[in-house]
Amino acid sequence: MTGEQEPRGDERGGEGAVPAARDATGEVIGVRKGMFGAQNGGDTSGYGGLVRTVALPGAASRPYGGPRTGPGEEGVFDEIADELEGALEEQDLLPENAIEKTVVDRGEMTFHVAREHLVRVARTLRDDPALRFELCTGVSGVHYPGDKGRELHAVYHLRSLTHGRLVRMEVSAPDADPHVPSLVEVYPTNDWHERETYDFFGLIFDGHPALTRIMMPDDWQGFPQRKDYPLGGIAVEYKGAQIPAPDQRRSYT
Amino acid sequence: MSTSHATPRETTEGTVYTVTGGDWDEVVQSAVTSDDERIVVNMGPQHPSTHGVLRLILEIDGETVTEARCGIGYLHTGIEKNLEYRTWTQGTTFVTRMDYLTSFFNETAYCLGVEKLLGIEDQIPDRATVIRVLLMELNRLSSHLVAIATGGMELGATTIMIYGFRDRELILDAYELITGLRMNHAFIRPGGLAQDLPPGSVDHLREMIKTLRKNLPEYDALATGNPIFQGRMRDVGYLDLTGCMALGATGPILRAAGLPHDLRKSDPYCGYETYDFTVPTTESCDAYGRFLVRLEEMRQSLNIVEQCLDRLAPGPVMVADKKIAWPAQLALGPDGLGNSLDHIKKIMGTSMEALIHHFKLVTEGFRVPAGQAYAAVESPKGELGAHVVSDGGTRPYRVHFRDPSFTNLQAMAAMCEGGQVADVIVAVASIDPVMGGVDR
């Protein structure tokens, strides 16, 4: 199991699911060297020279597949993509401008949305009768320092109670310009979720009514869940031996 | 402040307005806009009726709450950050401590996410899945019992509190029998369970169900028809369906607004589609409705637990894939719970390869292919989602929990503003937030 992903179909899309074709290279987020976490000598295993690329699943191409609603029907993911693209075109917004790429992986569908069109896409996903993603389950920030130019990701999971579907919407911003439009006007539930993501990742949600820290103290410096922020902790002595803090221990990635 | 009709002058007894006829509306208006009667009350974070370290900032005008805000973060423990420095298996030890009243739901959501990333959802043994459902439904009972018990206590109904904790104790005893612990179990692991059910547990559970069946109607008898209870709960903490959808409120709050949305039915996991149960709803949108929904859900959960016991068939409780499965099962030894002696005998005495395998899997852990997954379960409080990201390593790259308490607590302002101060307690209790889950 290495970082490289075999292009694999949607094997868990249920009975009769259509597999989605996948770009084999994926999205490279980093390169991993060695094997046992020993960076400064001391590794006599012979694995020290290993170099592996870490890549997230890449863009899928049509058909996207997904569970089928009936025999001969197209997969649900194609249905969602068709409806969304159609609805965006009706608003004179070119779908390829708004949606950077679509990833289908492990039976889940992800729209990577350009941040300038995020609010419009979210509103369309919520309001279009064929889409109707009424419930937003909040924002999850992810920091990919190796994904140059798109280091900070905000991930939204949208649930449609009407149609019983779930899609993921992902938007990214560079570290140098950590701005993403706020979705509070579309999904008021994102109020606290965006504050939390701001608190931990420093993503600034433009248009949020009161973007302040929510978990950390108000005068806290830095954004704790970024990858370059240390976990902290102190070494502990146990039966005469020093046990290093968790982030100082050897890692096997 | 002065108007053309009322001139204030300071006396030893305070400001005195001399009204000289004219427009009384202006006088009333100036009294309303003056800040004399308006105070900001800080309730919590150390307050017995705020369900843990929740800070409520209430602006009150007399007895009326004009604005209400929450201050949270007092119990933030950095669990999501910590997870990134442990192996995937160690993760369950952390997530079980998030919402500590719904441990098994946290563990299941996390494990379903990891299993989805690994692509082994179909390989989880049936017995493990049935036990997961069994534990989750017991957990729903114990969580709802706490919600009802503490909610009652905050109204001054201490009998409900005593009854609730009495019955929860029965369930905690069952947990202790099964997992060895009353809380923070870390029992559900990626790939299955830490351990099979110990001997005698099915009989113990059947006895417990009998007792609970006898006890549950007592809540009905004690509270449902009680005029004081109704007087305090009805039309308090009102949040209708529109408000629920906008604020993302799920669980009993949403079902008390009349929408029978339950992930166990609408997006089934762990084989819930094969169990026979109903999703109770009420239309009242208030704290009383939420109480009724919780009461009925407890009955339904008991039914599911019974169905689980009926379909428990012997079999493994961990995936067969030796590259993922924890090498040893837990067993009770003379020095407490630990790796089974048979396993230690094997790795220390007979098989060098088994020892290496054990060491590698326990210290290094297994690798999870890069990607992200979202797994959601219907916790007693609503949709509990785990967004799990892997970069192909032996540690989670990022785990985010969408905790229902966190989302539902946002509805506090909408429920409380315009109401009485005393009703704030009832409204917050009906949300049933657990700060361990809110702050993580």
Side-chain angles (χ1 to χ4, degrees), chain A residues 12 32 54 106 108 137 140-141 143 159 170 189 192-193 196 214-215 224-227 229 246 252, chain B residues 72 81 84 86 116-117 121 246-247 367 369-370 372 374 383 387 391 397-398 402 410 438 440:
Chain A
R12 281 177 302 285
R32 191 171 287 150
V54 182
R106 294 170 167 96
E108 295 178 352
T137 66
S140 166
H143 187 208
R159 193 179 277 289
E170 199 164 331
T189 176
W192 282 15
H193 290 275
E196 187 189 353
I214 186 165
M215 294 292 179
Q225 282 193 2
R226 290 196 181 193
K227 286 288 171 186
Y229 192 100
Y252 295 88
Chain B
I72 63 169
K81 177 85 173 174
E84 295 166 15
R86 317 285 158 149
K116 203 183 233 185
L117 280 177
E121 303 115 300
L247 293 169
R367 282 167 210 286
Q372 56 183 333
Y374 180 79
E383 174 166 353
H387 177 226
D391 67 343
Y397 189 75
R398 160 91 170 130
R402 187 265 187 201
Q410 289 188 94
V438 174
R440 283 155 287 134

Side-chain angles (χ1 to χ4, degrees), chain B residues 45 72 75 83 86 106 177 180 184 229 232 234 238 244 273 287 358-359 407 419 427:
Chain B
I72 63 169
L75 207 57
L83 284 171
R86 317 285 158 149
N106 303 343
L177 178 73
N184 304 336
F229 192 76
R232 289 298 308 274
R234 273 194 194 275
Y238 188 90
C244 286
E273 65 276 18
H358 180 108
F359 179 76
T407 315

Side-chain angles (χ1 to χ4, degrees), chain A residues 140-242:
Chain A
S140 166
V142 191
H143 187 208
Y144 297 105
D147 194 3
K148 292 292 170 222
R150 340 174 40 238
E151 284 92 347
L152 293 162
H153 289 226
V155 184
Y156 307 83
H157 292 94
L158 306 179
R159 193 179 277 289
S160 166
L161 307 188
T162 309
H163 302 292
R165 295 168 181 168
L166 184 81
V167 291
R168 181 185 295 126
M169 200 164 62
E170 199 164 331
V171 63
S172 67
D175 255 342
D177 177 34
H179 287 267
V180 163
S182 166
L183 281 187
V184 173
E185 57 173 295
V186 185
Y187 295 108
T189 176
N190 276 9
D191 182 351
W192 282 15
H193 290 275
E194 288 180 1
R195 283 176 64 192
E196 187 189 353
T197 309
Y198 161 72
D199 195 355
F200 289 143
F201 292 90
L203 254 179
I204 297 165
F205 292 89
D206 297 318
H208 188 284
L211 196 67
T212 51
R213 289 193 183 269
I214 186 165
M215 294 292 179
M216 306 302 287
D218 292 344
D219 54 355
W220 194 264
Q221 299 287 314
F223 301 106
Q225 282 193 2
R226 290 196 181 193
K227 286 288 171 186
D228 50 6
Y229 192 100
L231 178 67
I234 51 167
V236 177
E237 191 181 314
Y238 182 69
K239 293 192 174 174
Q242 284 283 323

